[in-house]
Amino acid sequence: MERKTIQATSNTRGSFIPNAITFAAGASYGLTTVFVGQPLDTIKTRMQGISTKNKGTSGFASQMVNLYGKEGLRGLYRGGFPLMIGGSLMRSAQFGVSAEAKGFLKRNNVPNVKILGTVDSEVLFAGIAGGLGRALVEIPTDFFKIRRQVQTDVKQRLNIGEIWRQSLNGSSVTMTRNTILFASFIIYIDLSKQAVVAGSIPKFLCNEDLSGLSPFAKGAICSNLAWITCFPLDVIKTQRQSGNYDGSGGLSLLKKNFQKGVLFRGLIPGLFRSTIANGTSMVVYEFVHSHLSKIFAVERKDMV
């Protein structure tokens, strides 16, 4: 009995440090994403969340010129403060929870099966868990960020009480989007590893040992594919949280956007942002994770 207790304590300690490292690396990923990608995220969000009745001012170039002309660089970083906290926490959650979910499956000897002969079931389960973990943090912080980003009058003060009461608007869409977003991101990373090993990827996009994509390529390519997979839900989420489409539910907005042909509105700045921000953030993530793992002499247990 005593031996089992000691072994359980050892296992707990043995899993705490690798998981803590993954959470810390995830936080560094989130902070980098905000610094690098916030300006383009603001433009994407305004394209999605501001009414498109005046089409002459709703495009990418118009939004960029108008916002920068009125407010400068500060305007492009609108809503950045809540993401400084929320962004680091939600990226920390997505990587940390997915790693813990993978560990849970292994500790309980849950069979790992190939779905459609390609995707590991543990990768899918861990990705879903990570997406849900991210959503719990992102729902309130992203709601406030979007409200700041879509403001047309910079001098208008946000009603914090009203925002707090409405902070769960779009929560179901956010949960669904994040689940698909991070699960597909992890799946694309896993598929990219298989493609690299099979020799199907140009070597200049691969890491030195040819076990997967290089950090920047992995972050940029896999995140872009994940965003394309769930982008219509991102449009609906932004509109639900913007306050400019009150009275319209998620399914109603989905139908209206489909009829107008704007389900992928903001995709170009979104992918441009994703390439730069997620590519750079993955480089930082890998640096932090690998160095902390070496310092504490532990084996990596993350999903990427």
Side-chain angles (χ1 to χ4, degrees):
M1 183 68 178
E2 184 179 351
R3 181 178 299 176
K4 289 183 178 179
T5 302
I6 294 175
Q7 183 176 2
T9 303
S10 177
N11 289 338
T12 300
R13 290 176 178 173
S15 63
F16 172 77
I17 293 180
N19 287 339
I21 290 174
T22 299
F23 274 96
S28 69
Y29 187 110
L31 287 172
T32 305
T33 300
V34 175
F35 280 118
V36 176
Q38 184 67 8
L40 285 169
D41 181 73
T42 299
I43 301 304
K44 172 188 77 76
T45 300
R46 289 174 69 84
M47 289 178 66
Q48 294 174 337
I50 294 179
S51 176
T52 58
K53 292 180 180 179
N54 188 352
K55 294 184 178 180
T57 60
S58 61
F60 170 70
S62 297
Q63 289 289 349
M64 175 72 79
V65 171
N66 290 339
L67 188 59
Y68 184 80
K70 291 178 180 178
E71 303 176 42
L73 188 62
R74 181 177 181 180
L76 295 176
Y77 275 90
R78 271 195 194 182
F81 180 72
L83 273 192
M84 290 294 293
I85 301 174
S88 60
L89 290 177
M90 69 187 188
R91 291 318 196 290
S92 177
Q94 70 180 18
F95 288 111
V97 172
S98 64
E100 180 55 33
K102 177 184 177 183
F104 172 84
L105 295 177
K106 290 188 176 297
R107 289 193 300 271
N108 290 275
N109 298 316
V110 177
N112 181 33
V113 299
K114 287 282 186 181
I115 302 172
L116 301 176
T118 306
V119 179
D120 288 339
S121 58
E122 70 175 22
V123 172
L124 176 61
F125 178 83
I128 291 173
L132 291 173
R134 166 178 169 164
L136 292 176
V137 179
E138 183 172 2
I139 288 170
T141 57
D142 221 41
F143 179 88
F144 185 77
K145 174 194 76 92
I146 288 174
R147 284 297 174 94
R148 284 284 295 121
Q149 288 177 322
V150 301
Q151 275 185 289
T152 55
D153 182 3
V154 67
K155 295 180 180 180
Q156 180 184 359
R157 296 181 63 87
L158 293 175
N159 188 323
I160 301 300
E162 180 181 352
I163 288 179
W164 180 254
R165 289 191 297 272
Q166 298 178 358
S167 61
L168 294 182
N169 283 4
S171 57
S172 59
V173 180
T174 302
M175 294 286 281
T176 305
R177 186 210 69 165
N178 280 8
T179 300
I180 297 174
L181 176 63
F182 191 70
S184 59
F185 176 63
I186 293 297
I187 288 172
Y188 289 132
I189 288 178
D190 188 61
L191 293 178
S192 70
K193 292 177 181 178
Q194 297 178 40
V196 169
V197 173
S200 303
I201 304 294
K203 290 186 178 180
F204 74 90
L205 292 174
C206 306
N207 55 24
E208 293 182 357
D209 61 3
L210 298 179
S211 61
L213 295 172
S214 66
F216 188 89
K218 176 168 57 178
I221 295 172
C222 295
S223 65
N224 279 352
L225 291 173
W227 275 113
I228 292 173
T229 302
C230 71
F231 204 80
L233 289 174
D234 185 65
V235 174
I236 305 306
K237 166 190 169 294
T238 299
Q239 292 179 351
R240 287 281 290 126
Q241 294 181 322
S242 69
N244 294 330
Y245 296 82
D246 289 339
S248 298
L251 291 177
S252 175
L253 288 172
L254 184 64
K255 181 180 178 180
K256 291 178 180 177
N257 281 274
F258 176 76
Q259 292 173 339
K260 293 179 180 179
V262 292
L263 278 175
F264 285 88
R265 185 170 186 78
L267 180 63
I268 299 303
L271 292 183
F272 189 31
R273 167 204 165 274
S274 176
T275 299
I276 299 172
N278 287 296
T280 305
S281 297
M282 185 59 76
V283 172
V284 174
Y285 174 91
E286 289 286 355
F287 176 84
V288 172
H289 208 304
S290 60
H291 277 70
L292 289 180
S293 295
K294 288 179 182 179
I295 291 173
F296 290 95
V298 294
E299 181 183 355
R300 289 184 60 160
K301 295 184 178 181
D302 59 322
M303 294 297 299
V304 300

